[in-house]
Amino acid sequence: MTPNTRKRPARRSIAVLAAGALAAGGLAAAGASALRPGAATASSHREAPLISGQPQYDNTDVYAFVSPDRPDTTTLIANWTPFEEPAGGPNFYPFAADAQHDIHIDSDGDGQGDLLYRWTFTNHTKNGNTFLYNTGPVTSLDDPDLNFTQTYDIDLLKLKDQKVVSSTKLAQGLPVAPSHVGQASMPDYGKLRSQAVRQLPGGTTAFAGQADDPFFLDLRVFDLLYGGNLSEVGKDTLKGYNVNTIALQVPTVQLRQSKQQPVVGIWSTTQRKNASGGWSQVSRLGMPLVNEVVVPLKDKDKFNASAPWNDADFLPYVTKPELPKLIESIYKIKAPAEPRSDLVSVFLTGVKDLNQPPKVRPAEMIRLNTAIAPSSSPKRLGVLDGDTAGYPNGRRLADDVVDISLQVVEGELTGAKNDLGDAVNANDAEFGKSFPYVALPASGSRGPLAGKGGQKTTEEGDGTRTQLTGGARPASSGGGDDTLLIASAAGGAAGVVLIGTGLVWWRLRRREINA
């Protein structure tokens, strides 16, 4: 575990709580009297049985923040397809073309969506007679060598009492930034990223494409809570993996109800076309990690398919969460008293005088006060460290949501000051300073070993061993070991020929003797 920037006595031996207690707290936030129509949306890296077999439809994280370089706008980011290994060809990682990718906005605090942004994707293949994703180096999104491409539409639906009252086409046929195949195929991926950022009418900016997974945490909680003895902590489990990102930067006045009511709630869902031609919801989330380690196996799929305003169905798992009891049984750390009414404001209603809308209906979603300006010096612990522009007021890419939520769940708001964390304090790749802010994807050239933003590593420079040379390094003008390797290979081949010739002579000689 690593300490945060505040100097406090730290129980450093309990880093085990990091990801685990966060998830428990997310739903434990609701006391029996507080969670009525309620909610519980979740970060979902393979969190439920059905969605774990449908990664294209699995929404992994949602982010919402006032844009640091354009403070009159709000940036919404949602990611799909967890654990994209960069070298995973030949099909790589397209967005699902038979799905609706939705981001919901609650602008009045009643727990229901008022606006819904919907992305739908279309596949395009230039040459179906090759297995290649690209047939040569790709230097632009319209390069004829980019064999497989996608385009997308964005629709804005306005809702009233969960019914659509109007629909507007915001964009049609925009290009998707492709999966980063590798340095040979995409020598300047940053250029492709830039070409995929598009300006829309009304001051909105859009992007869809592959990116480095921005979520950072240690997921080894599932191996008996970090190995049962704290032997597996401090490693960013998502390092080197990519995701598919959709991002939208919208003038804030288009999202919030008014200057007097600037708080908006955000969550996302995925709907998949079913056998009857209709749509079935298969994934949803807002706050991180809840469905993964709070909802039991029997109800995980039900949770993903249900609506936020029906989450009172999961009340028993909220008021008496399983995970704190597991932590107590393994590490003898006493579980917090139940029910956890102290966490209601953080996870369900928003914090009073920070990001709580008037007459709020308790519902777990990301709540963002759009009237709070971006911080000139962002702090990873957000509100806990005095940075009110950070989590849980919205969620920025660099917010350490694991440590923040853990400390709150373990009693920060009740006077039990603590300095807990999972020893993963930052993402492995640097975030951008302008839209879409997410880091460039890791390159398929070396998978997780690729440099930041998919740049070549030293190993990929001159002298790299390749299959075409049998793993031997290219010979240098000075000879030496490389020359010896080649000579040894040649000598080995000659030896095989001599042995073969000897066997033939021996067999012929035996025939002469037997005759």
Side-chain angles (χ1 to χ4, degrees):
M1 187 204 79
T2 56
N4 62 38
T5 56
R6 296 168 302 164
K7 302 300 182 182
R8 290 179 178 169
R11 290 175 284 171
R12 303 184 187 280
S13 64
I14 44 181
V16 63
L17 294 175
L22 151 66
L27 278 181
S33 61
L35 185 65
R36 294 181 184 177
T41 45
S43 179
S44 57
H45 287 67
R46 294 176 52 84
E47 87 293 349
L50 284 180
I51 203 64
S52 67
Q54 304 172 13
Q56 265 192 313
Y57 310 92
D58 192 352
N59 190 188
T60 65
D61 282 286
V62 174
Y63 301 83
F65 51 91
V66 177
S67 308
D69 56 331
R70 292 186 60 196
D72 61 335
T73 68
T74 296
T75 295
L76 310 172
I77 295 175
N79 296 328
W80 274 263
T81 313
F83 298 107
E84 291 182 3
E85 206 290 327
N91 298 308
F92 294 96
Y93 305 100
F95 286 90
D98 61 343
Q100 296 173 333
H101 305 72
D102 297 342
I103 294 181
H104 305 253
I105 308 295
D106 174 11
S107 59
D108 56 12
D110 66 355
Q112 303 182 60
D114 299 294
L115 303 175
L116 186 154
Y117 290 94
R118 171 164 292 163
W119 285 254
T120 52
F121 294 84
T122 303
N123 298 338
H124 308 275
T125 302
K126 294 182 178 72
N127 180 6
N129 293 320
T130 177
F131 64 84
L132 292 171
Y133 187 86
N134 58 290
T135 56
V138 176
T139 59
S140 66
L141 294 183
D142 59 359
D143 195 312
D145 286 325
L146 184 55
N147 190 41
F148 178 85
T149 61
Q150 285 192 303
T151 56
Y152 65 99
D153 297 354
I154 306 176
D155 293 283
L156 172 60
L157 284 62
K158 294 187 177 181
L159 311 172
K160 181 68 174 178
D161 296 328
Q162 306 173 40
K163 295 181 180 179
V164 177
V165 295
S166 70
S167 179
T168 304
K169 180 76 67 176
L170 296 183
Q172 188 169 10
L174 298 184
V176 175
S179 296
H180 192 348
V181 174
Q183 295 298 326
S185 292
M186 298 171 181
D188 188 355
Y189 191 87
K191 179 180 178 181
L192 302 180
R193 155 74 64 82
S194 297
Q195 292 176 355
V197 175
R198 296 301 176 98
Q199 302 296 323
L200 307 183
T204 295
T205 309
F207 168 80
Q210 194 179 50
D212 170 81
D213 192 333
F215 197 20
F216 51 94
L217 80 167
D218 193 324
L219 272 174
R220 294 301 295 163
V221 63
F222 301 111
D223 185 13
L224 288 182
L225 304 183
Y226 293 102
N229 60 359
L230 301 178
S231 61
E232 298 192 21
V233 294
K235 180 178 179 180
D236 184 359
T237 313
L238 301 178
K239 180 179 180 179
Y241 289 103
N242 298 324
V243 289
N244 284 353
T245 290
I246 61 174
L248 202 66
Q249 193 171 71
V250 184
T252 300
V253 295
Q254 298 179 18
L255 297 179
R256 66 189 183 191
Q257 187 179 64
S258 65
K259 281 189 176 182
Q260 291 70 38
Q261 204 311 85
V263 177
V264 295
I266 303 100
W267 75 96
S268 66
T269 59
T270 311
Q271 295 192 105
R272 184 180 185 182
K273 187 168 289 187
N274 55 39
S276 63
W279 297 96
S280 298
Q281 183 179 301
V282 295
S283 180
R284 68 181 179 91
L285 69 94
M287 301 289 274
L289 290 171
V290 178
N291 198 11
E292 286 185 303
V293 291
V294 175
V295 178
L297 283 171
K298 66 179 182 178
D299 278 342
K300 284 182 178 293
D301 295 327
K302 176 184 176 182
F303 181 89
N304 262 344
S306 64
W309 41 86
N310 291 327
D311 276 350
D313 294 346
F314 305 100
L315 183 59
Y317 316 135
V318 172
T319 57
K320 298 180 179 180
E322 176 187 14
L323 189 56
K325 299 178 180 67
L326 295 177
I327 293 173
E328 182 173 356
S329 67
I330 294 176
Y331 291 99
K332 311 306 178 186
I333 300 169
K334 186 173 179 57
E338 300 170 347
R340 296 299 307 279
S341 58
D342 59 306
L343 300 178
V344 171
S345 64
V346 173
F347 293 99
L348 293 176
T349 65
V351 178
K352 187 174 177 57
D353 298 325
L354 177 67
N355 63 340
Q356 184 181 113
K359 300 180 180 179
V360 63
R361 179 181 181 178
E364 189 176 25
M365 60 182 71
I366 293 176
R367 296 190 188 275
L368 173 66
N369 186 339
T370 61
I372 296 179
S375 172
S376 59
S377 300
K379 298 178 180 179
R380 69 177 183 91
L381 293 179
V383 174
L384 285 188
D385 206 11
D387 181 2
T388 57
Y391 185 83
N393 178 31
R395 181 184 178 186
R396 301 171 299 194
L397 293 170
D399 285 337
D400 194 342
V401 297
V402 172
D403 287 13
I404 295 168
S405 298
L406 168 63
Q407 291 172 28
V408 171
V409 166
E410 289 302 300
E412 184 79 20
L413 299 182
T414 62
K417 304 300 183 182
N418 63 84
D419 210 11
L420 305 182
D422 64 349
V424 180
N425 297 337
N427 192 46
D428 61 297
E430 185 177 356
F431 298 124
K433 299 184 183 303
S434 60
F435 183 85
Y437 305 105
V438 288
L440 293 174
S443 167
S445 296
R446 287 290 181 185
L449 298 180
K452 290 182 179 180
Q455 299 302 308
K456 290 198 298 184
T457 64
T458 302
E459 290 181 305
E460 296 173 52
D462 293 339
T464 299
R465 303 184 185 198
T466 71
Q467 293 295 328
L468 296 178
T469 60
R473 296 188 182 277
S476 64
S477 58
D481 292 342
D482 291 340
T483 304
L484 180 61
L485 283 171
I486 296 172
S488 298
V496 171
V497 173
L498 288 174
I499 292 172
T501 303
L503 287 172
V504 171
W505 175 86
W506 180 71
R507 287 172 181 167
L508 292 173
R509 181 61 178 162
R510 286 190 62 187
R511 289 176 185 173
E512 292 176 358
I513 294 173
N514 292 335

